[in-house]
C-alpha cells in the first residue's frame, strides 16, 4: 500500500475545470496528487470535510501594487500578502510601480525581490516596466523572470514611471514580440484627459471620458497587429472599449483585457467620497452592465483587483486632489461573488474570471485550478455567509476602502498554500519566475 496523502480535502461543491461537483482533493508534496469522488477512500494524515462549503482553487491576482521598497507605508509585502490570503488569493503579481526604484531594470527587480524575501504569505511574481529610455532592459527583464512588462499611455501619477508615446509603444511592442513576451498597458489617451474643473465626482468623471480609454485601446490594438506582439489591456472601465476589443479578437490580434471588482460592483451613482477615486474612474450603472456582458462573452478574460493603496492623508480632501487608487485585495472575491450570484452566475464563472484566466495570462499553468499536478492552493469558501466590511479589520496596511460598510456575501474560511493552511504568522510564499516553479 502506498504511503498516505498528507492532506485530503472533501467538498460537495468543489470547483474543478469540469464545473462544480462533489470531490475529494488529495495532496502530496505540495501538489494535487489526485482528484477523486467525494466519498473515495483516500488514506491521509489529515482529512478535512467541508461538507457543503465550496472548495475553490486559490485565486490569482495579476494586478497588485505592493509599493515596497520605497513606499512601504502605503503597502508592503507582509501586509499585502496577508490580505491576499484572507481573501482567497494564493498568488499575486506585483506591479512595477509605485515602489522605489520602479522595476524597470534587472537591478531594480533584484532590489524588489530582496525586499520581498521572507515576508510573503502567498506566492509573488513580478511585472517589469516599459518606460522611455529602457528599451534595452526589456529582454533582460524577461530573461530574469518577470511575467511581462507594463507601460502607461498617460501619466502614471508618479514621476519616476513616465508614459510611452506612440513611437515608444511601437518600439516596446516590437521588442517584446522579438522574444514572445507580454506587454500590458494602462490605456488612456492623454490628449483626451483634463484636470477636473472642480472638486466633485461628476467633474472628475468628466475629466476622464470613455473615449480616452477607447482611443488608447485602439492604438494598442493597431500596434499589436502591426508588430505581432502579445498585448493586454489592464483595468478596463469603459464600455466604449469593448467593441474595439471584440473586433481585434475576431481578427486574430493577440490582445486580451481585464476588468476589476470595483468596476463590476460599484457605480458612479453611489460614489460617496475620495475612497472611490481611481483611474480610469468608476462609471455609471449602465456601463457596469456592459462590462458584465463582456465577461460572460469572454471579451474580458479576468477580474483582478488593481489594489493601489495609499495612506489616508492622500485620499483627501476631494476628487480633484486625492490619490487615485482602490484598496480591495482582501475583498475582491466576496465583492464579485455578491454581484455575480445576483446576475445568475455561479462559482465556476467566478473561478474562471479570478483564478484560471489570470493564471493563464501570467503563464502560471499550475496555479488557479484544481487538477492533478497543480499546486495545492485551495480555498474553503462559504458562499452563503454574509458580513459587513469594516476597514479597520482588514489586513491592508491602511484602513481605506470604498467597500467600508458594504454588506457582502461569501466568507473565506481557510486558505491553503501548497497544502498548508495560511496562519498569517509564518510566511511560506515563494517568489515566482515566469512559467517556472
Amino acid at each position: 500500500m502506498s504511503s498516505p496523502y498528507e492532506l485530503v480535502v472533501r467538498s460537495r461543491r468543489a470547483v474543478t475545470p469540469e464545473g462544480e461537483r462533489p470531490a475529494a482533493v488529495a495532496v502530496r508534496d505540495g501538489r494535487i496528487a489526485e482528484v477523486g469522488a467525494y466519498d473515495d477512500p483516500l488514506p491521509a494524515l489529515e482529512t478535512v470535510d467541508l461538507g457543503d462549503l465550496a472548495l475553490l482553487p486559490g485565486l490569482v491576482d495579476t494586478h497588485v501594487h505592493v509599493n515596497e521598497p520605497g513606499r512601504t507605508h502605503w503597502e508592503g509585502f507582509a501586509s499585502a500578502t496577508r490580505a491576499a490570503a484572507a481573501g482567497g488569493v494564493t498568488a499575486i503579481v506585483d506591479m512595477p510601480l509605485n515602489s522605489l526604484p520602479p522595476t524597470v531594470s534587472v537591478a531594480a527587480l533584484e532590489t524588489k525581490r530582496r525586499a520581498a524575501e521572507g515576508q510573503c504569505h502567498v506566492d509573488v511574481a513580478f511585472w517589469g516596466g516599459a518606460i522611455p529610455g529602457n528599451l534595452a532592459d526589456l529582454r533582460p527583464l524577461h530573461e530574469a523572470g518577470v511575467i511581462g512588462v507594463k507601460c502607461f499611455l498617460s501619466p502614471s501619477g508618479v514621476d519616476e514611471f513616465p508614459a510611452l508615446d506612440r513611437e515608444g509603444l511601437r518600439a516596446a511592442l516590437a521588442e517584446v514580440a522579438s522574444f514572445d513576451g507580454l506587454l500590458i498597458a494602462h490605456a488612456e489617451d492623454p490628449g483626451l484627459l483634463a484636470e477636473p474643473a472642480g472638486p466633485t465626482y461628476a467633474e472628475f468623471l468628466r475629466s476622464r471620458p470613455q473615449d480616452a480609454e477607447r482611443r488608447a485601446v485602439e492604438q494598442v490594438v493597431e500596434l499589436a497587429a502591426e508588430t505581432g506582439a502579445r498585448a493586454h489591456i489592464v483595468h478596463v472601465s469603459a464600455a466604449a472599449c469593448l467593441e474595439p476589443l471584440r473586433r481585434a479578437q475576431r481578427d486574430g490580434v493577440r490582445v486580451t483585457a481585464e476588468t476589476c471588482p470595483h468596476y463590476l460592483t460599484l457605480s458612479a451613482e453611489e460614489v460617496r467620497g475620495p475612497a472611490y477615486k481611481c483611474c480610469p474612474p468608476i462609471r455609471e450603472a449602465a456601463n457596469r452592465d456592459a462590462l458584465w456582458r463582456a465577461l460572460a462573452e469572454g471579451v474580458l478574460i479576468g477580474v483582478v483587483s488593481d489594489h493601489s493603496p495609499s495612506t489616508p492623508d492622500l485620499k483627501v480632501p476631494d476628487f480633484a486632489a486625492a490619490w487615485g487608487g482602490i484598496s480591495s485585495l482582501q475583498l475582491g472575491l466576496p465583492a464579485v461573488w455578491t454581484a455575480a450570484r445576483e446576475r445568475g452566475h455561479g462559482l465556476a464563472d467566478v473561478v474562471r474570471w479570478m483564478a484560471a484566466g489570470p493564471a493563464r495570462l501570467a503563464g502560471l499553468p499550475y496555479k488557479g485550478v484544481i487538477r492533478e499536478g497543480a499546486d495545492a492552493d485551495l480555498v474553503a469558501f462559504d458562499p452563503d455567509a454574509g458580513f459587513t466590511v469594516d476597514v479597520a479589520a482588514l489586513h491592508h496596511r491602511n484602513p481605506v476602502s470604498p467597500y467600508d460598510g458594504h454588506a457582502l456575501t461569501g466568507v473565506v474560511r481557510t486558505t491553503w498554500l501548497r497544502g498548508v493552511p495560511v496562519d498569517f504568522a509564518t510566511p511560506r510564499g515563494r517568489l515566482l519566475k515566469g512559467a517556472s516553479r
Side-chain angles (χ1 to χ4, degrees), residues 357-372:
R360 194 161 48 249
L361 173 73
L364 301 173
Y366 50 92
K367 295 291 188 184
V369 63
I370 294 178
R371 62 162 172 76
E372 291 182 14

Side-chain angles (χ1 to χ4, degrees), residues 12 15 17 23-25 36 148-149 157 182-183 210 212 229 232 259 279 286 288 294-295 317-318 370 401 410 425:
R12 295 187 181 91
V15 181
V25 178
V149 293
L182 172 65
L183 181 139
Q210 292 209 27
H232 178 77
T259 192
C279 300
R288 178 179 62 190
L295 262 180
D318 55 43
I370 294 178
S401 175

Side-chain angles (χ1 to χ4, degrees), residues 393-415:
L394 301 177
H395 288 278
H396 304 156
R397 183 176 294 277
N398 290 291
V400 180
S401 175
Y403 291 101
D404 189 31
H406 281 230
L408 299 179
T409 301
V411 174
V412 172
R413 298 301 187 190
T414 305
T415 299

Side-chain angles (χ1 to χ4, degrees), residues 48-429:
V48 176
D49 193 333
L50 301 179
D52 291 326
L53 292 185
L55 181 64
L56 313 181
L59 307 187
V60 178
D61 192 335
T62 55
H63 198 143
V64 179
H65 294 268
V66 174
N67 305 328
E68 185 175 3
R71 292 189 174 99
T72 311
H73 55 298
W74 292 14
E75 192 76 277
F77 284 103
S79 55
T81 56
R82 280 195 295 266
V89 177
T90 53
I92 67 171
V93 188
D94 172 62
M95 284 290 165
L97 72 164
N98 302 303
S99 56
L100 295 170
T103 316
V104 295
S105 68
V106 172
L109 174 64
E110 292 307 318
T111 296
K112 182 164 284 193
R113 282 181 171 148
R114 286 194 297 272
E117 193 69 50
Q119 292 205 72
C120 299
H121 296 269
V122 302
D123 288 352
V124 178
F126 302 92
W127 295 107
I131 63 172
N134 85 325
L135 190 65
D137 291 292
L138 302 188
R139 183 183 290 268
L141 279 165
H142 173 78
E143 292 172 348
V146 299
I147 298 300
V149 293
K150 181 182 185 180
C151 72
F152 275 72
L153 305 184
S154 58
S156 71
V158 291
D159 293 340
E160 67 273 5
F161 203 96
L164 295 179
D165 61 15
R166 181 182 178 86
E167 291 310 309
L169 176 62
R170 175 186 279 114
L173 283 166
E175 178 67 8
V176 166
S178 73
F179 51 81
D180 199 28
L182 172 65
L183 181 139
I184 66 174
H186 177 123
E188 290 181 286
D189 186 325
L192 293 177
L193 302 180
E195 290 298 319
T200 69
Y201 190 71
E203 289 163 311
F204 172 67
L205 188 58
R206 283 194 294 271
S207 76
R208 305 188 89 96
Q210 292 209 27
D211 280 350
E213 280 192 73
R214 177 190 55 79
R215 186 177 293 182
V217 166
E218 289 172 342
Q219 179 173 265
V220 174
V221 166
E222 176 190 349
L223 296 178
E226 176 186 312
T227 60
R230 287 192 296 143
H232 178 77
I233 309 298
V234 298
H235 53 47
V236 171
S237 82
C241 298
L242 300 175
E243 188 53 36
L245 287 166
R246 283 189 188 96
R247 287 197 305 268
Q249 291 164 2
R250 284 197 302 263
D251 293 343
V253 182
R254 303 171 75 195
V255 61
T256 53
E258 68 191 36
T259 192
C260 303
H262 41 281
Y263 301 130
L264 296 170
T265 64
L266 306 175
S267 69
E269 292 87 345
E270 66 186 89
V271 166
R272 296 197 303 268
Y276 288 74
K277 181 180 177 181
C278 56
C279 300
I282 295 165
R283 303 191 187 275
E284 297 82 1
N287 179 89
R288 178 179 62 190
D289 293 341
L291 296 180
W292 278 102
R293 290 192 295 270
L295 262 180
E297 183 185 345
V299 174
L300 302 174
I301 61 145
V303 180
V304 291
S305 69
D306 189 12
H307 179 68
S308 185
S310 69
T311 52
D313 60 294
L314 295 180
K315 294 296 282 185
V316 295
D318 55 43
F319 288 101
W323 171 260
I326 299 288
S327 295
S328 64
L329 179 55
Q330 185 171 335
L331 300 171
L333 175 58
V336 171
W337 172 238
T338 299
R341 73 189 310 199
E342 292 174 353
R343 292 171 179 267
H345 296 290
L347 286 172
D349 296 318
V350 173
V351 164
R352 184 170 70 254
W353 300 328
M354 303 189 77
R360 194 161 48 249
L361 173 73
L364 301 173
Y366 50 92
K367 295 291 188 184
V369 63
I370 294 178
R371 62 162 172 76
E372 291 182 14
D375 283 355
D377 299 345
L378 304 168
V379 177
F381 183 64
D382 187 338
D384 300 315
F387 70 103
T388 299
V389 177
D390 174 7
V391 291
L394 301 177
H395 288 278
H396 304 156
R397 183 176 294 277
N398 290 291
V400 180
S401 175
Y403 291 101
D404 189 31
H406 281 230
L408 299 179
T409 301
V411 174
V412 172
R413 298 301 187 190
T414 305
T415 299
W416 289 270
L417 183 68
R418 281 181 294 277
V420 178
V422 176
D423 63 7
F424 303 96
T426 310
R428 294 188 177 89

